[in-house]
Amino acid sequence: MKASLHPTKHCKICFREIKDNSFHNLLFKNNDICEDCFNKFQPKFIHFKHGKINCLSIYNYDLTIKELLYKYKGCYDIELKSVFLSRYLWYLRLKYYGFKVITLPSYYLDDERRGFNHVKEIAKLLKLPLLDILEKTKDHKQADQNFEGRKKIGKVLKLSHLELIKNQKILIMDDVHTTGSSIDAAINLIKEGKPKKIEVLVVAKNELKKD
């Protein structure tokens, strides 16, 4: 029996077979999710600013994105890394051509426990140079903090090798934007390296009520 020229693919979210004859599969040949799961995504492409820095969020932090991010980074399901940006990679690679990526870090023990850094795995899909020079020196989880507590993130971030930033176009990446404290802290550190340009890309944007 001859092996199939088109091996069966299964959706990384619901595990059902992805049909070759669906319009969705024909349009996205390297697709990782089925048409039903695809239709649950509601991309918004939200443009916003941090001072003069241009920022882009692909989604609102709705229930679908919240649950998928929990399964991805909370349940350690690394296979889900591609589902968030896969349909827009061609656009993002063009938009950020020539940039180098710096991801917002997790505490190293969280990465060791998970077996991967969730933001870096998503960033790798852009196929841009990744600068691993931003570090979180203490276990300060933003999700556990109130509005005022989140502002203290700058005290636990450390940036090294500033020479790698000089005159470079830098793309800061994170999974969820809430108060923006982490992004602000990263921007302030990166500016010390005198980059040519800074932009920000996040998977989802969330609104946090002030306490």
Side-chain angles (χ1 to χ4, degrees):
M1 182 180 294
K2 293 183 179 180
S4 171
L5 295 177
H6 302 285
T8 301
K9 291 188 66 177
H10 292 86
C11 176
K12 290 189 174 182
I13 297 175
C14 70
F15 306 111
R16 288 184 294 180
E17 181 180 348
I18 299 175
K19 301 295 184 181
D20 287 336
N21 59 352
S22 72
F23 174 76
H24 178 242
N25 198 45
L26 291 172
L27 185 60
F28 300 101
K29 294 186 181 298
N30 295 320
N31 175 49
D32 289 327
I33 61 176
C34 69
E35 192 165 2
D36 288 340
C37 289
F38 168 81
N39 289 332
K40 294 178 182 178
F41 285 80
Q42 299 292 325
K44 300 296 183 182
F45 285 88
I46 304 163
H47 294 268
F48 60 103
K49 294 262 190 182
H50 271 273
K52 296 182 179 180
I53 304 298
N54 291 323
C55 308
L56 173 64
S57 174
I58 307 300
Y59 306 98
N60 277 327
Y61 190 60
D62 60 19
L63 184 59
T64 295
I65 299 301
K66 182 178 181 179
E67 289 180 349
L68 280 174
L69 281 172
Y70 173 74
K71 291 177 182 177
Y72 171 49
K73 66 179 185 179
C75 300
Y76 313 155
D77 189 354
I78 194 173
E79 289 299 317
L80 290 175
K81 66 182 180 181
S82 62
V83 305
F84 302 100
L85 304 185
S86 61
R87 296 182 300 283
Y88 319 113
L89 284 175
W90 62 271
Y91 165 73
L92 296 172
R93 287 168 183 165
L94 285 174
K95 178 176 175 60
Y96 298 116
Y97 179 80
F99 279 75
K100 295 183 178 181
V101 179
I102 296 177
T103 59
L104 268 291
S106 304
Y107 190 51
Y108 78 98
L109 290 178
D110 291 332
D111 288 344
E112 288 183 2
R113 180 168 55 252
R114 187 183 297 117
F116 60 93
N117 179 279
H118 59 289
V119 183
K120 286 180 184 176
E121 291 301 319
I122 294 175
K124 288 175 184 177
L125 299 173
L126 296 178
K127 296 184 178 180
L128 298 173
L130 183 61
L131 301 180
D132 190 13
I133 58 177
L134 189 60
E135 174 189 0
K136 182 180 283 188
T137 59
K138 293 182 180 179
D139 187 11
H140 179 92
K141 291 183 174 62
Q142 290 291 78
D144 296 337
Q145 307 296 320
N146 60 20
F147 185 80
E148 290 302 319
R150 287 170 181 258
K151 293 180 180 179
K152 300 177 182 179
I153 183 64
K155 296 181 179 180
V156 301
L157 291 182
K158 178 183 177 182
L159 186 70
S160 58
H161 299 290
L162 292 182
E163 71 278 3
L164 298 178
I165 295 174
K166 189 174 182 179
N167 295 324
Q168 300 297 317
K169 293 192 292 185
I170 300 298
L171 178 64
I172 300 172
M173 284 189 67
D174 202 5
D175 56 346
V176 179
H177 179 285
T178 303
T179 65
S181 299
S182 297
I183 295 293
D184 282 337
I187 288 171
N188 290 333
L189 288 172
I190 290 168
K191 281 181 176 179
E192 295 178 9
K194 299 181 180 179
K196 181 178 181 180
K197 188 176 186 179
I198 301 174
E199 294 201 18
V200 173
L201 174 64
V202 295
V203 174
K205 194 173 191 300
N206 187 24
E207 297 297 333
L208 180 73
K209 293 181 180 180
K210 296 182 181 181
D211 293 337

